[in-house]
Amino acid sequence: MTTKAPRPPLASTSPLTSLLVTWGVTRLVLLLFVFKVLLFPGPDVTTDVSVTYQGWYEVLRTGAFPQSDVTWQYPPAAALAILSPAVLPFLSYASAFFILAFLADLAVLTLLLNTGLRPGRSLRGAWLWTAGAPLLGPTLYSRYDVMVTAVAVAALLAGTRRPRLMGALTGLAALLKVWPILLLAGAVRKRAWTTATLTAAALSALFALAMPGAFAFLTFQRDRGTEVESVGALALHVARQFGWPGQVLMNYGSLEFLGPYVGIVSDVSLALTAVAFGWLLRWRLTARRFTPHTLADAAFTAVLLFTVTSRVISPQYLIWLIGLAAVCLCFRTTRMTLPATLTLTASSLTVLEFPILFEDVVTSTPLGITLLFLRNGLLLAATVTAARRLWRSTVPTPTASAPGVSRVECARTPASPP
C-alpha cells in the first residue's frame, strides 16, 4: 500500500507583498472616488481642485500671485504645486492634479520602504502611511498637502547624515506651506539650519522679484478667525447650545465662527501657540540625548503642538501628521508609537466630521460636537503623550547621571543611514 507524500505547505504571503497589495487597492479606490467613478458620501471635496486651484492656476500662469483673492493664504512656492498640472497638458487640470497627488503619495511610500527595509529599521512606518492616509478619503488627493508631505518626509529621512540635503528640502517645503520649518526642531547640525535658511531666502527673493504679490498671503493669514473644526471652536460649539448668537460663515476661504467673543477664543489660541513655541524652545535648549530617531520624534511633536493650538484644523493637516508619524515608526526605538496610534485613530474620525457629517459640525448638532470632541481629544492626547515622551527620552533628570549622547557627541558619532 502506497501513501501519498504530504503536500508542501503553501508559501505565506510576505509582509512586503501584503503591504504593496494593500497600498494598491486603497489607492485604486481613492482614484475611483476623485475621478467620480464612485461617489463618496458628503460634499464633493474635489471642487477645491477644479474650481479654487484651477482659478489660482489661471492667475499664476500670467506671472503674478492672486493678490486680490483672500483665499490665497500660502507662501510663494505653493505656486509650484498649483502650476504643476501643466506638466500633463494632455489632461484636464483636475485630472492632472489627481495623478500628481497620487505620484506624491507613491513617493512617500517609496521613501518609507527604502528606509524600512534597511537593517535595524522597520516597515511599521510604511504600513502606517499605507493604512492611515486613505482614511482621510478623497481629501488626500484633493489638496496639495500630500505633495508638501512628500518633500517633508524626504527631508526628515535625509537625517543627520545629509544635513545640507535636509536643509535644502526643508527650506523648499517651508515655502510650500510654512509648517515644515518645524522639521528643524530636533536638528543638531548647523549646516541643516544654514542651508534651510539660505534656500528659503533665495527662493523668497526669486519669487518676490519675478512675481508680484508673493507675500500678500501674510495679511490674509493674520486676519483669519476661529475655524469650526479647531480645538478652540469647541467652546463656541458648546456655547451655541446655550443661546450664543454667533454664526458660521465662509470667511477667508473656510467656515469660521463670527460673533461675540470669537476674538477672545482666537487670542487664546494664539497665546497657546506661543506657549507651545516656548515649551519647544525650552526642550531644545535642555535636551542632551540625541539619537537617530530624535529628529523625526521632535518634528512630529512640534507639528502636533502647533496643530492643536492653531485657530484652524483642516482635514488635510492630518496628512502631515500621518506622514511624520510614519517616519517616526521607521525607527524601531522611537518613542512615538502611542502618539502615532492616537493620530491614526483621529484620522478615521476626521473623515466622518469632514466631509461625511460636515453639516452636523457646521450646525453644531450633538453628533457633530461629539465627533469634534473625540477627534480633537485624540489629537490633544497624542500631543501631550508625544511631548512627555520626547522630553523624557532626551532631557536628563537633575539627579540622573545615566550616560547619554550629548549634543557634541551626536555631531561626531556617525548615525546609521536614514
Side-chain angles (χ1 to χ4, degrees), residues 48-58 60-61 78-86 88-100 144 147:
D48 273 6
V49 175
S50 58
V51 177
T52 306
Y53 283 11
Q54 188 165 358
W56 292 337
Y57 171 83
E58 298 299 335
L60 290 167
R61 66 189 300 194
L80 301 177
I82 303 302
L83 290 169
S84 62
L88 300 174
F90 48 88
L91 295 176
S92 67
Y93 180 88
S95 296
F97 186 91
F98 298 144
I99 295 299
L100 293 173
Y144 83 90
M147 303 174 185

Side-chain angles (χ1 to χ4, degrees), residues 33 58 123 255 302 380 383:
F33 279 132
E58 298 299 335
L123 285 176
L255 288 168
L380 185 59
T383 303

Side-chain angles (χ1 to χ4, degrees), residues 17-28:
T17 301
S18 299
L19 190 154
L20 293 175
V21 169
T22 303
W23 188 89
V25 170
T26 55
R27 273 44 181 194
L28 174 61

Side-chain angles (χ1 to χ4, degrees), residues 98-352:
F98 298 144
I99 295 299
L100 293 173
F102 167 81
L103 293 176
D105 178 12
L106 178 59
V108 174
L109 176 70
T110 303
L111 289 165
L112 295 171
L113 283 176
N114 183 55
T115 300
L117 290 172
R118 294 181 181 182
R121 299 299 169 85
S122 172
L123 285 176
R124 293 187 305 159
W127 268 112
L128 181 70
W129 178 257
T130 297
L135 290 178
L136 298 172
T139 298
L140 180 65
Y141 291 165
S142 301
R143 304 291 187 273
Y144 83 90
D145 296 80
V146 67
M147 303 174 185
V148 184
T149 301
V151 180
V153 167
L156 274 183
L157 292 177
T160 55
R161 287 183 63 90
R162 293 185 285 274
R164 288 194 178 92
L165 176 59
M166 178 193 173
L169 290 172
T170 300
L172 170 62
L175 281 187
L176 283 168
K177 208 163 187 181
V178 181
W179 67 265
I181 194 65
L182 297 170
L183 302 181
L184 295 170
V188 296
R189 301 285 187 91
K190 290 183 179 179
R191 281 175 290 177
W193 286 86
T194 302
T195 308
T197 302
L198 292 175
T199 301
L203 288 174
S204 296
L206 180 63
F207 278 109
L209 292 172
M211 299 178 69
F215 294 95
F217 79 98
L218 293 172
T219 299
F220 304 149
Q221 278 283 0
R222 180 195 64 197
D223 294 337
R224 293 196 70 168
T226 297
E227 190 257 352
V228 294
E229 297 168 87
S230 64
V231 173
L234 284 170
L236 300 172
H237 280 292
V238 173
R240 286 179 108 182
Q241 311 305 307
F242 297 93
W244 178 67
Q247 296 178 301
V248 174
L249 298 173
M250 184 64 70
N251 190 48
Y252 288 95
S254 65
L255 288 168
E256 299 179 353
F257 277 113
L258 298 176
Y261 311 114
V262 174
I264 296 176
V265 174
S266 296
D267 291 342
V268 170
S269 295
L270 290 172
L272 289 174
T273 299
V275 171
F277 178 79
W279 181 92
L280 197 60
L281 180 61
R282 184 174 176 227
W283 166 78
R284 190 63 181 80
L285 294 174
T286 55
R288 293 294 181 271
R289 296 190 291 261
F290 287 84
T291 57
H293 61 80
T294 302
L295 183 67
D297 290 357
F300 179 46
T301 302
V303 175
L304 274 170
L305 282 166
F306 283 85
T307 296
V308 299
T309 60
S310 174
R311 294 172 294 174
V312 178
I313 299 183
S314 296
Q316 58 266 30
Y317 289 19
L318 275 295
I319 301 174
W320 322 339
L321 294 173
I322 293 171
L324 298 182
V327 176
C328 293
L329 293 191
C330 287
F331 298 89
R332 296 183 184 276
T333 54
T334 182
R335 301 294 302 277
M336 296 295 144
T337 300
L338 178 56
T341 302
L342 293 170
T343 301
L344 183 67
T345 308
S347 299
S348 65
L349 292 175
T350 296
V351 76
L352 292 178

